[in-house]
Amino acid sequence: MPPRGIHHLGVAVENLDEALATYERLFGAELEHRELVPEQGVEAAAVRVGESRVELLAALGADTPVGKFLANRGPGMHHVAYEVDDLPAELATLAERGVELIDSEPRPGLYGLAVAFVHPDAVHGVLTELVSRG
């Protein structure tokens, strides 16, 4: 089953408060949700920009995935997240097709969503997150 659409774009930032202020000032973004996600090593803030959502990610430490990303690449585009109806089934289908997965099983994510990541090498260099509400 194809994704329902893009759920959000993830952006790695050095300073979450500064990034929030920038998105509010430049794009009229409205804070939807802010949460510490220690399992993923981030503090994340979701902002709505019109009908769309941007997830701003600040690392909780240099040894976290986002911390390493910032050290190697600096702030910027981190991932694209697609919403799917049945995340376990989608992961199984991708695995059957030989797609390299970072997560073979869903894990808890922001907003109470189930999430899993697909390796960037499988998607032409783009870290891809799949999310579902169940």
Coordinates of all heavy atoms in Angstrom, one line a residue, residues 16-77:
L16 N 17.2 24.8 19.3 CA 15.7 24.6 19.0 C 14.9 25.9 19.2 O 14.1 26.3 18.4 CB 15.2 23.5 19.9 CG 13.8 23.0 19.6 CD1 13.6 22.6 18.1 CD2 13.4 21.9 20.5
D17 N 15.2 26.7 20.3 CA 14.5 27.9 20.5 C 14.7 28.9 19.4 O 13.8 29.6 18.9 CB 14.8 28.5 21.9 CG 14.3 27.7 23.0 OD1 13.2 27.1 22.9 OD2 15.0 27.6 24.0
E18 N 16.0 29.1 18.9 CA 16.3 30.0 17.8 C 15.6 29.5 16.6 O 15.0 30.4 15.8 CB 17.8 30.1 17.6 CG 18.5 30.9 18.7 CD 20.0 30.9 18.4 OE1 20.4 30.6 17.3 OE2 20.7 31.3 19.4
A19 N 15.6 28.2 16.3 CA 14.9 27.7 15.1 C 13.4 28.0 15.1 O 12.8 28.4 14.1 CB 15.2 26.2 14.9
L20 N 12.8 27.7 16.3 CA 11.4 28.0 16.4 C 11.1 29.5 16.1 O 10.1 29.8 15.4 CB 10.9 27.6 17.8 CG 10.7 26.1 18.1 CD1 10.5 25.9 19.6 CD2 9.4 25.7 17.3
A21 N 11.9 30.3 16.7 CA 11.6 31.8 16.5 C 11.8 32.1 15.0 O 11.0 33.0 14.5 CB 12.6 32.6 17.3
T22 N 12.8 31.5 14.3 CA 13.0 31.8 12.9 C 11.8 31.3 12.1 O 11.3 32.1 11.2 CB 14.3 31.1 12.4 OG1 15.4 31.7 13.1 CG2 14.4 31.3 10.9
Y23 N 11.3 30.1 12.3 CA 10.2 29.6 11.6 C 8.9 30.4 11.8 O 8.1 30.6 10.9 CB 10.0 28.1 11.8 CG 10.8 27.2 11.0 CD1 12.2 27.1 11.2 CD2 10.3 26.6 9.9 CE1 13.0 26.3 10.4 CE2 11.1 25.8 9.1 CZ 12.4 25.7 9.3 OH 13.2 24.9 8.5
E24 N 8.7 30.9 13.1 CA 7.6 31.7 13.4 C 7.7 33.0 12.7 O 6.7 33.5 12.1 CB 7.5 31.9 14.9 CG 7.1 30.6 15.7 CD 7.2 30.8 17.2 OE1 7.8 31.8 17.7 OE2 6.8 29.8 17.9
R25 N 8.8 33.7 12.8 CA 9.0 35.0 12.2 C 8.9 35.0 10.6 O 8.3 35.8 10.0 CB 10.4 35.6 12.6 CG 10.6 37.0 12.2 CD 11.9 37.6 12.7 NE 13.1 37.0 11.9 CZ 13.9 36.1 12.4 NH1 13.8 35.6 13.6 NH2 14.9 35.7 11.6
L26 N 9.6 34.0 10.0 CA 9.7 34.0 8.6 C 8.5 33.4 7.9 O 8.1 33.8 6.8 CB 10.9 33.2 8.1 CG 12.3 33.8 8.5 CD1 13.4 32.9 7.9 CD2 12.4 35.2 8.0
F27 N 7.9 32.3 8.5 CA 6.8 31.6 7.8 C 5.5 31.6 8.6 O 4.6 30.9 8.1 CB 7.3 30.1 7.6 CG 8.6 30.0 6.9 CD1 9.7 29.5 7.5 CD2 8.8 30.6 5.6 CE1 10.9 29.4 6.9 CE2 10.0 30.5 5.0 CZ 11.1 29.9 5.6
G28 N 5.4 32.3 9.7 CA 4.2 32.3 10.5 C 3.9 30.9 11.1 O 2.7 30.6 11.4
A29 N 4.9 30.1 11.3 CA 4.7 28.7 11.8 C 4.1 28.8 13.2 O 4.4 29.7 14.0 CB 6.1 28.0 11.8
E30 N 3.3 27.8 13.5 CA 2.7 27.6 14.8 C 3.1 26.4 15.4 O 3.1 25.3 14.8 CB 1.2 27.6 14.6 CG 0.6 28.9 14.1 CD -0.9 28.9 13.9 OE1 -1.6 28.0 14.5 OE2 -1.4 29.8 13.2
L31 N 3.6 26.5 16.7 CA 4.1 25.3 17.4 C 2.9 24.3 17.6 O 1.9 24.7 18.2 CB 4.7 25.7 18.7 CG 5.2 24.5 19.6 CD1 6.4 23.8 18.9 CD2 5.6 25.1 21.0
E32 N 3.1 23.1 17.2 CA 2.1 22.1 17.3 C 2.4 21.2 18.5 O 1.5 20.8 19.3 CB 2.0 21.2 16.0 CG 1.0 20.1 16.1 CD 1.0 19.3 14.8 OE1 2.1 19.0 14.3 OE2 -0.1 19.0 14.3
H33 N 3.6 20.9 18.7 CA 4.0 19.9 19.7 C 5.5 20.0 20.0 O 6.3 20.2 19.0 CB 3.7 18.5 19.3 CG 3.9 17.4 20.3 ND1 3.0 17.2 21.3 CD2 5.0 16.6 20.5 CE1 3.5 16.2 22.0 NE2 4.7 15.8 21.6
R34 N 5.9 19.9 21.2 CA 7.3 19.9 21.6 C 7.6 18.8 22.6 O 6.8 18.7 23.6 CB 7.8 21.3 22.1 CG 9.2 21.4 22.4 CD 9.6 22.8 22.8 NE 11.0 22.9 23.0 CZ 11.7 24.1 23.1 NH1 11.1 25.2 22.8 NH2 13.0 24.1 23.3
E35 N 8.6 18.1 22.4 CA 8.8 16.9 23.3 C 10.3 16.5 23.3 O 11.0 16.5 22.3 CB 8.0 15.7 22.7 CG 8.0 14.5 23.5 CD 7.1 13.4 22.9 OE1 6.2 13.7 22.1 OE2 7.3 12.2 23.3
L36 N 10.7 16.0 24.5 CA 12.0 15.4 24.6 C 11.8 13.9 24.2 O 10.9 13.3 24.7 CB 12.5 15.4 26.0 CG 13.2 16.7 26.5 CD1 13.5 16.7 28.0 CD2 14.5 17.0 25.7
V37 N 12.7 13.4 23.4 CA 12.6 12.0 23.0 C 14.0 11.3 23.3 O 14.8 11.2 22.4 CB 12.2 11.8 21.5 CG1 11.9 10.4 21.2 CG2 11.0 12.7 21.1
P38 N 14.2 11.0 24.6 CA 15.5 10.5 24.9 C 16.0 9.3 24.2 O 17.1 9.1 23.9 CB 15.4 10.2 26.4 CG 14.2 10.9 26.9 CD 13.3 11.1 25.7
E39 N 15.0 8.4 23.8 CA 15.3 7.2 23.1 C 16.0 7.5 21.7 O 16.7 6.7 21.2 CB 14.1 6.3 22.8 CG 13.3 6.0 24.1 CD 12.3 7.1 24.4 OE1 11.7 7.7 23.5 OE2 12.2 7.4 25.6
Q40 N 15.6 8.6 21.2 CA 16.2 9.0 19.9 C 17.3 10.1 20.0 O 17.8 10.5 19.0 CB 15.1 9.5 18.9 CG 14.1 8.4 18.6 CD 13.1 8.8 17.6 OE1 13.2 9.8 16.8 NE2 11.9 8.1 17.6
G41 N 17.5 10.6 21.3 CA 18.5 11.5 21.5 C 18.2 12.9 21.0 O 19.1 13.7 20.6
V42 N 16.9 13.3 21.0 CA 16.6 14.6 20.5 C 15.5 15.3 21.3 O 14.8 14.7 22.1 CB 16.0 14.5 19.0 CG1 17.0 14.0 18.0 CG2 14.7 13.8 19.0
E43 N 15.5 16.6 21.2 CA 14.3 17.4 21.6 C 13.7 17.8 20.3 O 14.5 18.4 19.4 CB 14.7 18.6 22.5 CG 13.4 19.3 22.9 CD 13.6 20.5 23.9 OE1 14.8 20.8 24.1 OE2 12.6 21.0 24.3
A44 N 12.5 17.6 20.1 CA 11.8 17.8 18.8 C 10.7 18.8 19.0 O 10.0 18.8 20.0 CB 11.3 16.6 18.2
A45 N 10.5 19.7 18.0 CA 9.3 20.6 18.0 C 8.7 20.5 16.6 O 9.4 20.7 15.6 CB 9.8 22.0 18.3
A46 N 7.4 20.2 16.6 CA 6.7 20.2 15.3 C 6.0 21.5 15.2 O 5.3 22.0 16.1 CB 5.7 19.0 15.3
V47 N 6.2 22.1 14.0 CA 5.5 23.3 13.7 C 4.6 23.1 12.4 O 5.0 22.4 11.5 CB 6.5 24.5 13.5 CG1 7.2 24.8 14.8 CG2 7.5 24.3 12.4
R48 N 3.5 23.8 12.4 CA 2.7 23.8 11.3 C 3.0 25.0 10.5 O 3.0 26.1 11.0 CB 1.2 23.8 11.7 CG 0.7 22.6 12.4 CD 0.9 21.3 11.7 NE -0.1 21.2 10.6 CZ -0.6 20.1 10.1 NH1 -0.3 19.0 10.6 NH2 -1.4 20.2 9.1
V49 N 3.1 24.8 9.2 CA 3.3 25.9 8.2 C 2.2 25.7 7.2 O 2.4 24.8 6.3 CB 4.7 25.9 7.6 CG1 4.9 27.0 6.6 CG2 5.8 26.0 8.6
G50 N 1.2 26.4 7.3 CA 0.0 26.2 6.5 C -0.5 24.8 6.8 O -0.7 24.4 7.9
E51 N -0.7 24.0 5.7 CA -1.2 22.6 5.8 C -0.1 21.6 6.1 O -0.3 20.5 6.4 CB -1.8 22.2 4.5 CG -3.0 23.1 4.1 CD -4.3 22.7 4.9 OE1 -4.5 21.5 5.1 OE2 -5.0 23.6 5.2
S52 N 1.2 22.1 6.1 CA 2.3 21.2 6.2 C 2.9 21.2 7.6 O 2.7 22.1 8.4 CB 3.4 21.6 5.2 OG 2.9 21.5 3.9
R53 N 3.8 20.3 7.9 CA 4.4 20.1 9.2 C 6.0 20.0 9.0 O 6.4 19.3 8.1 CB 3.9 18.9 9.9 CG 4.5 18.6 11.2 CD 4.0 17.3 11.9 NE 2.6 17.5 12.2 CZ 1.6 16.8 11.7 NH1 1.9 15.9 10.7 NH2 0.3 16.9 12.0
V54 N 6.7 20.8 9.8 CA 8.2 20.6 9.8 C 8.5 20.2 11.3 O 8.0 20.8 12.2 CB 8.8 22.0 9.5 CG1 10.3 21.9 9.6 CG2 8.5 22.4 8.1
E55 N 9.4 19.3 11.4 CA 9.9 18.8 12.7 C 11.3 19.3 12.8 O 12.2 18.9 12.1 CB 9.8 17.3 12.7 CG 10.1 16.7 14.0 CD 9.9 15.1 14.0 OE1 8.8 14.7 14.1 OE2 10.9 14.5 13.7
L56 N 11.5 20.1 13.8 CA 12.8 20.7 14.1 C 13.4 19.8 15.2 O 12.8 19.5 16.2 CB 12.7 22.1 14.6 CG 12.0 23.1 13.7 CD1 11.7 24.4 14.4 CD2 12.8 23.3 12.4
L57 N 14.7 19.3 15.0 CA 15.3 18.4 15.8 C 16.6 18.9 16.4 O 17.5 19.3 15.6 CB 15.7 17.1 15.0 CG 14.5 16.5 14.3 CD1 15.0 15.5 13.2 CD2 13.6 15.8 15.3
A58 N 16.7 19.0 17.7 CA 18.0 19.4 18.4 C 18.5 18.2 19.1 O 17.8 17.5 19.8 CB 17.7 20.6 19.3
A59 N 19.8 18.0 19.0 CA 20.5 16.8 19.6 C 20.6 17.0 21.1 O 20.8 18.1 21.6 CB 21.9 16.6 19.0
L60 N 20.4 15.9 21.8 CA 20.6 15.9 23.2 C 22.0 15.6 23.6 O 22.4 15.7 24.8 CB 19.7 14.9 23.9 CG 18.2 15.2 23.8 CD1 17.4 14.0 24.5 CD2 17.8 16.5 24.4
G61 N 22.8 15.3 22.6 CA 24.3 15.1 22.9 C 25.0 14.8 21.6 O 24.4 14.5 20.5
A62 N 26.3 15.0 21.6 CA 27.1 14.8 20.4 C 27.1 13.4 19.9 O 27.3 13.2 18.7 CB 28.5 15.3 20.6
D63 N 26.9 12.4 20.7 CA 27.0 11.0 20.3 C 25.6 10.4 19.9 O 25.5 9.2 19.6 CB 27.5 10.2 21.5 CG 26.6 10.2 22.7 OD1 25.8 11.2 22.9 OD2 26.7 9.3 23.6
T64 N 24.6 11.3 19.7 CA 23.3 10.8 19.2 C 23.3 10.9 17.7 O 24.1 11.6 17.1 CB 22.2 11.7 19.8 OG1 22.4 13.1 19.3 CG2 22.2 11.8 21.3
P65 N 22.3 10.2 17.0 CA 22.3 10.3 15.6 C 22.2 11.8 15.1 O 22.9 12.1 14.1 CB 21.0 9.5 15.2 CG 20.9 8.5 16.3 CD 21.4 9.2 17.6
V66 N 21.4 12.6 15.6 CA 21.3 14.0 15.2 C 22.5 14.7 15.5 O 23.0 15.6 14.8 CB 20.0 14.7 15.7 CG1 20.0 16.1 15.4 CG2 18.7 14.0 15.1
G67 N 23.1 14.5 16.7 CA 24.4 15.1 17.1 C 25.5 14.8 16.1 O 26.2 15.7 15.7
K68 N 25.5 13.5 15.7 CA 26.6 13.1 14.7 C 26.3 13.8 13.3 O 27.2 14.2 12.6 CB 26.6 11.6 14.6 CG 27.1 10.9 15.8 CD 27.0 9.4 15.7 CE 27.5 8.8 17.0 NZ 27.2 7.3 16.9
F69 N 25.0 13.8 13.0 CA 24.6 14.5 11.7 C 25.0 16.0 11.7 O 25.6 16.4 10.8 CB 23.1 14.4 11.6 CG 22.5 15.1 10.3 CD1 22.4 14.4 9.1 CD2 22.2 16.5 10.3 CE1 21.9 15.0 8.0 CE2 21.7 17.1 9.2 CZ 21.6 16.4 8.0
L70 N 24.8 16.7 12.8 CA 25.2 18.1 12.9 C 26.7 18.2 12.9 O 27.2 19.2 12.2 CB 24.6 18.7 14.2 CG 23.1 18.9 14.2 CD1 22.6 19.2 15.7 CD2 22.7 20.1 13.3
A71 N 27.4 17.4 13.5 CA 28.9 17.4 13.5 C 29.4 17.2 12.1 O 30.4 17.9 11.7 CB 29.5 16.4 14.5
N72 N 28.8 16.3 11.3 CA 29.3 16.0 10.0 C 28.8 16.9 8.9 O 29.5 17.2 7.9 CB 28.9 14.6 9.6 CG 29.6 13.5 10.4 OD1 30.8 13.7 10.8 ND2 29.0 12.4 10.6
R73 N 27.6 17.4 9.0 CA 26.9 18.1 7.9 C 26.5 19.5 8.3 O 26.1 20.3 7.4 CB 25.8 17.3 7.4 CG 26.1 16.0 6.8 CD 24.9 15.3 6.3 NE 25.3 13.9 6.0 CZ 24.7 13.2 5.1 NH1 23.6 13.7 4.5 NH2 25.1 11.9 4.9
G74 N 26.4 19.8 9.6 CA 25.8 21.1 10.0 C 24.3 21.0 10.0 O 23.7 20.0 9.6
P75 N 23.7 22.1 10.4 CA 22.2 22.1 10.4 C 21.6 22.0 9.0 O 22.3 22.5 8.0 CB 21.9 23.5 11.1 CG 23.1 24.3 11.0 CD 24.3 23.3 10.9
G76 N 20.4 21.5 8.9 CA 19.8 21.4 7.6 C 18.8 20.2 7.5 O 18.5 19.6 8.5
M77 N 18.4 19.9 6.3 CA 17.5 18.9 6.0 C 18.0 17.6 6.6 O 19.1 17.1 6.2 CB 17.3 18.8 4.5 CG 16.2 17.9 4.1 SD 14.6 18.6 4.6 CE 13.6 17.2 4.1

